[in-house]
Amino acid sequence: MKIKIDEITEEGLSLDVTEEGKNIEALAGPARFSIVSPVKAHLDIRRSDGGIDVDGEMSVKVSFPCSRCLKDFESPVEARFTNRLDLGIPTSEREKELAREELEVTFIEGTELDTSLILMEEISLALPIKPLCMEGCKGLCPVCGANLNEGLCPCPGKERLDQRFAKLKGLKIK
């Protein structure tokens, strides 16, 4: 959803936004996740001191591969967020040397505010770093690559010796 910046007042706007997941996913380009449900969000947007403050909360269902067994799974993602958007581009002097408080500000250009971009950023930030399909995920066998959550792999137990350490097997310590 695009909002004209001139229409945002100091009193602000309170919006309930529903965006199609595929539309927001397209903004991310190649990503390690896919959005499988519409993104539902509540946004409070108001102008202040040459910028725009956005407070919001959102929920969505996302699909991504487990970091241990690589099986795709779906998980709900919810987030509360606050963003400060500064109108205008920083000067070249400010780009080289930003103050600490400027690191938390997003600089925007143009006459419209695109809520889809804000939601995409917040979804990306809310995702887990190492997503797991379940808490006790056993992962993959390092020898044959079988999913250990589905049962034991066909590898014999004693043959799991890493070949890089095979010479150490015959080492005798006095």
Side-chain angles (χ1 to χ4, degrees):
M1 168 184 248
K2 294 189 179 187
I3 302 168
K4 294 204 178 284
I5 293 175
D6 294 340
E7 295 176 1
I8 302 171
T9 63
E10 287 185 19
E11 293 83 35
L13 302 171
S14 185
L15 304 170
D16 288 319
V17 178
T18 302
E19 295 273 352
E20 281 301 315
K22 296 297 176 192
N23 296 340
I24 291 181
E25 190 178 324
L27 296 172
R32 65 179 179 95
F33 63 92
S34 61
I35 300 172
V36 295
S37 74
V39 180
K40 296 181 181 179
H42 178 78
L43 304 173
D44 292 317
I45 304 170
R46 66 193 160 284
R47 280 190 107 132
S48 65
D49 301 328
I52 299 171
D53 293 324
V54 180
D55 294 320
E57 53 189 51
M58 60 113 204
S59 63
V60 66
K61 190 176 277 191
V62 178
S63 172
F64 34 69
C66 176
S67 62
R68 290 186 188 159
C69 70
L70 305 178
K71 181 180 176 186
D72 284 341
F73 71 101
E74 294 181 2
S75 177
V77 173
E78 297 180 356
R80 297 186 75 124
F81 55 90
T82 300
N83 283 338
R84 170 72 179 165
L85 308 171
D86 199 358
L87 302 174
I89 302 172
T91 64
S92 60
E93 190 65 31
R94 286 175 61 197
E95 282 181 4
K96 292 179 184 171
E97 198 169 324
L98 292 173
R100 183 172 192 76
E101 57 273 0
E102 290 176 318
L103 294 174
E104 298 175 5
V105 175
T106 302
F107 295 96
I108 61 171
E109 290 184 55
T111 60
E112 293 182 329
L113 173 65
D114 190 352
T115 59
S116 300
L117 293 172
I118 294 171
L119 294 175
M120 183 62 229
E121 179 181 329
E122 294 305 324
I123 291 169
S124 297
L125 291 171
L127 293 176
I129 294 171
K130 290 196 173 206
L132 295 177
C133 60
M134 60 184 164
E135 188 65 34
C137 180
K138 296 175 183 175
L140 301 175
C141 172
V143 176
C144 69
N147 187 343
L148 298 175
N149 295 318
E150 297 171 357
L152 295 174
C153 65
C155 297
K158 293 183 181 181
E159 296 297 323
R160 292 189 184 194
L161 179 65
D162 189 336
Q163 292 304 311
R164 295 174 293 177
F165 301 109
K167 293 275 185 184
L168 295 175
K169 189 174 182 181
L171 182 68
K172 297 195 187 221
I173 301 175
K174 292 183 184 183

